[in-house]
């Protein structure tokens, strides 16, 4: 019985729940929001992002955030950016990261996921799919 409880505890600790924190907002200025499910939340420094969240900025809005793999995002004005997938194993420092830029601008300094293997980090736009291999870049998608 004791062994079964230990195994169950280990499995529960190893599993990353769907609502786990993947990033934190460092700075939010102007009109900004986070769409989570059917809700719309107002971000502030320290706000925790979850998988599936959508970052939205107005014409004067900007967001800066850092992911748990040390990827850094700077979201420009009039942007709509979704974090479609973020899977990260802190032990192996590997995972998968897919971001969708519907409109606006996104500056990225990639972190551990992009360095772990080819095509581990991808950025989708309405017309393209970019594979990231550990670098800095900016994506701009006009309205």
């Amino acid at each position: 019985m004791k062994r079964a409880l230990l195994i169950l505890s280990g499995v529960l600790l190893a599993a990353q729940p769907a609502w786990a924190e993947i990033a934190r907002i460092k700075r939010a200025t102007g009109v900004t929001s986070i769409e989570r499910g059917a809700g719309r939340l107002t971000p502030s420094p320290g706000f925790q992002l979850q998988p599936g969240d959508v970052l939205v900025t107005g014409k004067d809005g900007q967001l800066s955030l850092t992911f748990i793999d040390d990827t850094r995002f700077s979201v420009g004005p009039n942007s709509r950016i979704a974090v479609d997938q973020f899977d990260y194993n802190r032990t192996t420092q590997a995972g998968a990261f897919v971001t969708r830029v519907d409109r606006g601008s996104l500056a990225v300094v990639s972190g551990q996921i992009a360095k772990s293997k080819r095509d581990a980090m991808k950025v989708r736009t309405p017309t393209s799919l970019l594979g990231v291999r550990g670098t800095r870049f900016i994506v701009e998608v006009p309205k």
Side-chain angles (χ1 to χ4, degrees):
M1 180 70 171
K2 187 175 181 180
R3 184 176 183 168
L5 287 174
L6 284 173
I7 292 171
L8 178 62
S9 297
V11 169
L12 291 174
L13 288 174
Q16 182 180 9
W19 61 87
E21 172 189 354
I22 62 170
R24 283 189 189 229
I25 299 293
K26 298 296 181 187
R27 187 173 61 95
T29 60
V31 176
T32 60
S33 64
I34 305 295
E35 294 178 359
R36 181 175 293 161
R40 185 175 283 237
L41 307 168
T42 302
S44 60
F47 182 93
Q48 298 179 7
L49 241 58
Q50 297 177 2
D53 282 351
V54 179
L55 312 167
V56 180
T57 60
K59 66 179 182 181
D60 65 342
Q62 293 184 329
L63 288 170
S64 297
L65 51 146
T66 302
F67 287 82
I68 59 174
D69 76 324
D70 292 328
T71 296
R72 289 174 279 158
F73 274 14
S74 291
V75 180
N78 287 323
S79 297
R80 180 177 171 80
I81 297 167
V83 181
D84 289 336
Q85 180 184 7
F86 187 91
D87 298 318
Y88 180 60
N89 183 318
R90 290 178 191 255
T91 304
T92 62
Q93 297 188 337
F97 192 170
V98 179
T99 303
R100 180 172 29 94
V101 181
D102 294 329
R103 69 173 189 267
S105 63
L106 173 66
V108 178
V109 177
S110 62
Q112 294 301 316
I113 289 176
K115 296 173 185 170
S116 66
K117 66 178 181 177
R118 292 180 73 128
D119 297 330
M121 182 176 187
K122 297 175 183 171
V123 178
R124 295 180 196 273
T125 71
T127 58
S128 63
L129 174 63
L130 311 168
V132 178
R133 297 191 175 92
T135 187
R136 299 170 187 230
F137 61 95
I138 297 173
V139 176
E140 290 188 26
V141 176
K143 278 188 176 179

